[in-house]
Amino acid sequence: MWLSSRRGFLSAALVLAGCGLTPVMDPSSQRLYNQILIQAPVNRAEYELVRNLEAQLGAAKSARFALHYELKVTEDNIVVSAAQEISRYSLVGELEYSLLDTDGAFLTRQTAKSFTGYSATGTTVATQRAQRDAYDRLMAILARQVASELLTLDLP
């Protein structure tokens, strides 16, 4: 029984090896790495977003493409105690982005969405730090989504 499952595994591995799929992070498929000039940030949240995008896609050395984005973050209270004190917040982020070539033609326009939360049960300083960490987490999540979508594009 063990022998037959091993044969199946080996034959599946051979079939997948011959199908022509390449990993996204394979060096030969890194056409976009260090090729995207990302729009400059104007606030701290956008700074974290750009920092995470550059960590995923590399900093542009010779820009063949430009990435423009519009970030919207809404903050909602999600837990209110009987004494009407807010103890938990939710951050919902929506990032509309477009990739343009050097001529200014749109190659893709998409939206990334995600959410995160933080607790407001500690001191004021602890709450502010938790809020900042939640924004940082949200920007990292959105940057990963954008990078994954861009790396899978079939571009010239």
Side-chain angles (χ1 to χ4, degrees):
M1 181 170 216
W2 182 76
L3 184 59
S4 64
S5 65
R6 185 169 62 166
R7 283 184 192 154
F9 174 75
L10 290 175
S11 63
L14 289 174
V15 168
L16 287 176
C19 72
L21 293 177
T22 59
V24 172
M25 299 308 285
D26 182 36
S28 65
S29 65
Q30 293 274 329
R31 290 186 308 261
L32 291 179
Y33 197 74
N34 290 335
Q35 299 293 317
I36 300 176
L37 180 63
I38 302 169
Q39 173 184 325
V42 295
N43 57 34
R44 187 181 184 291
E46 289 183 6
Y47 171 78
E48 284 298 318
L49 175 71
V50 170
R51 187 179 68 80
N52 283 293
L53 281 170
E54 287 181 346
Q56 297 281 326
L57 301 170
K61 293 178 181 162
S62 60
R64 289 181 42 213
F65 305 101
L67 181 71
H68 296 281
Y69 60 85
E70 184 178 335
L71 176 65
K72 298 175 193 164
V73 179
T74 56
E75 187 170 337
D76 298 322
N77 51 357
I78 57 175
V79 177
V80 180
S81 69
Q84 297 300 312
E85 294 176 355
I86 300 170
S87 61
R88 186 113 179 113
Y89 291 91
S90 173
L91 297 176
V92 179
E94 183 175 330
L95 181 69
E96 296 177 7
Y97 62 95
S98 9
L99 186 68
L100 292 82
D101 64 6
T102 53
D103 298 328
F106 284 96
L107 300 173
T108 186
R109 180 179 290 163
Q110 298 184 26
T111 302
K113 297 178 184 177
S114 193
F115 68 94
T116 189
Y118 67 95
S119 179
T121 57
T123 64
T124 303
V125 173
T127 300
Q128 289 173 346
R129 183 62 201 179
Q131 179 187 35
R132 186 174 176 174
D133 287 345
Y135 269 92
D136 292 352
R137 285 192 313 273
L138 182 61
M139 295 307 113
I141 293 167
L142 291 173
R144 270 187 250 121
Q145 287 180 7
V146 171
S148 296
E149 288 296 323
L150 292 179
L151 289 174
T152 58
L153 289 176
D154 188 24
L155 296 174

